[in-house]
Amino acid sequence: VHDMDHAQFDTRMAQVDCVTYIVDNAFSELWYDLLFTDQLLALGKKVRLVVKAYPMLVSDATEHDIAQLLQWAESEEGTSFTQGVAQRLKGHIRTSNLTVEAWPELNAPLHFTSEHFRRRLDGSDLFVLKGDANYRRVFEDRDWSPTTPITQAGCPFIAPALFLRIL
């Protein structure tokens, strides 16, 4: 579900300088997160890629997973495409256009409305939240009517936001 047309989206994206992208799972899903991050960086955005401090479930993405995936992508096992992506992302890390952050708050049963998250969420123009747990954190696990406006149901300080749920 989206609440804007393509022209509105393009206008809003032109105003975005910094994106905070809170990812969910490791493995192949994380590769697609890195591809999306590569595209955001190609648009001239700064990106904070956020993971859990340690895995709660076997599939939770961590800083170590990102490092391993970039190492694999850049190795001889990768293709020229994966090598190019890895080299670009590592270059953006060196210039601080891309930062990777582990947030211990993501390992706690906290909603994004908690004070622990408020200070973390400052400074971004767009939030990309991936996965069921992050989606639930925004809406506080409440049973909202499907017609409830997102600005009423979600954290007001998190907007604008893009929610990605992979089922």
Side-chain angles (χ1 to χ4, degrees):
V1 177
H2 65 85
D3 64 353
M4 67 179 73
D5 63 29
H6 291 288
Q8 288 174 312
F9 180 80
D10 290 344
T11 300
R12 182 114 12 122
M13 281 304 293
Q15 299 167 353
V16 170
D17 291 320
C18 182
V19 177
T20 295
Y21 188 171
I22 303 176
V23 301
D24 188 23
N25 293 321
F27 313 115
S28 60
E29 192 173 314
L30 183 59
W31 175 246
Y32 292 106
D33 295 327
L34 294 178
L35 291 175
F36 186 44
T37 298
D38 187 47
Q39 290 302 301
L40 290 168
L41 291 160
L43 292 172
K45 313 305 178 193
K46 288 189 174 200
V47 179
R48 286 194 307 175
L49 199 58
V50 180
V51 295
K52 289 184 175 165
Y54 54 88
M56 302 282 289
L57 301 171
V58 69
S59 62
D60 289 336
T62 64
E63 288 177 296
H64 180 72
D65 294 313
I66 292 172
Q68 277 193 317
L69 193 51
L70 289 175
Q71 182 179 352
W72 166 82
E74 199 172 31
S75 74
E76 292 177 8
E77 292 178 39
T79 65
S80 60
F81 174 76
T82 65
Q83 292 166 352
V85 171
Q87 289 166 3
R88 284 191 302 276
L89 292 175
K90 285 182 172 185
H92 285 294
I93 289 170
R94 282 190 296 278
T95 62
S96 299
N97 287 326
L98 171 60
T99 58
V100 179
E101 300 176 12
W103 290 2
E105 295 89 345
L106 292 173
N107 292 95
L110 300 170
H111 295 116
F112 283 123
T113 52
S114 77
E115 285 301 317
H116 295 24
F117 279 111
R118 265 189 213 276
R119 67 181 185 279
R120 292 276 198 183
L121 297 173
D122 286 341
S124 286
D125 304 306
L126 174 67
F127 296 93
V128 178
L129 297 120
K130 178 115 165 296
D132 187 60
N134 292 323
Y135 182 83
R136 291 174 182 276
R137 286 178 197 276
V138 170
F139 298 104
E140 298 181 336
D141 280 327
R142 296 183 188 179
D143 188 18
W144 294 101
S145 164
T147 59
T148 304
I150 208 165
T151 53
Q152 179 184 343
C155 303
F157 61 90
I158 221 158
L162 171 63
F163 301 97
L164 301 174
R165 292 184 77 195
I166 309 299
L167 302 175

